[in-house]
Amino acid sequence: MACRITEFVIDCRDPGTLADFWCRVLDYAVLERDDNGDIEIGPAGTERGGSGLILVFSRSDEPRRGKLPLHFDVNATDRDQDEELQRLFDLGARTADVGQTGEESWHVLADPEGNEFCLLRRTVAPAAG
């Protein structure tokens, strides 16, 4: 027996803003909103326990303490890295400095709340729908 990661929970000040940003980055859809303001997103048609990874944006007023110990790595699915980088900037991403040298093949970015993620060089196939 083994486990599988089905959901990734991100504490944030503004679940709506982050859900909107990541839906546009990943071509995800809002799956559920609860009464506390938490928002779940995932591939359209994803159900709990299905094969798609669900992101849960959970409202929190707790201040963030330093660099996150985890981050996302993303790859473009239908364009090269430079084109995808520009698209991410247009969506609201910004450059983040985590001590990189400038010689890396990836770009370190931050979402609207400052959560770091990396845009890798490869172009990959879109996730199966």
Side-chain angles (χ1 to χ4, degrees), residues 43-108:
T46 299
E47 296 181 18
R48 285 196 180 278
S51 61
L53 177 64
I54 294 173
L55 301 180
V56 180
F57 297 98
S58 180
R59 183 176 309 281
S60 173
D61 294 325
E62 293 292 320
R64 191 170 120 190
R65 292 177 173 85
K67 184 178 176 296
L68 295 176
L70 298 171
H71 69 268
F72 292 115
D73 286 345
V74 298
N75 289 284
T77 60
D78 61 352
R79 58 189 59 110
D80 69 24
Q81 185 186 43
D82 290 336
E83 292 170 312
E84 184 64 4
L85 180 62
Q86 185 58 56
R87 185 181 83 88
L88 294 172
F89 285 147
D90 292 346
L91 293 175
R94 60 187 184 279
T95 301
D97 182 359
V98 295
Q100 60 270 37
T101 66
E103 299 298 316
E104 294 82 4
S105 63
W106 60 88
H107 295 276
V108 182

Side-chain angles (χ1 to χ4, degrees), residues 109-124:
L109 304 171
D111 71 15
E113 287 201 7
N115 301 306
E116 295 92 4
F117 67 101
C118 294
L119 172 62
L120 305 183
R121 180 178 300 271
R122 288 178 308 195
T123 300
V124 298

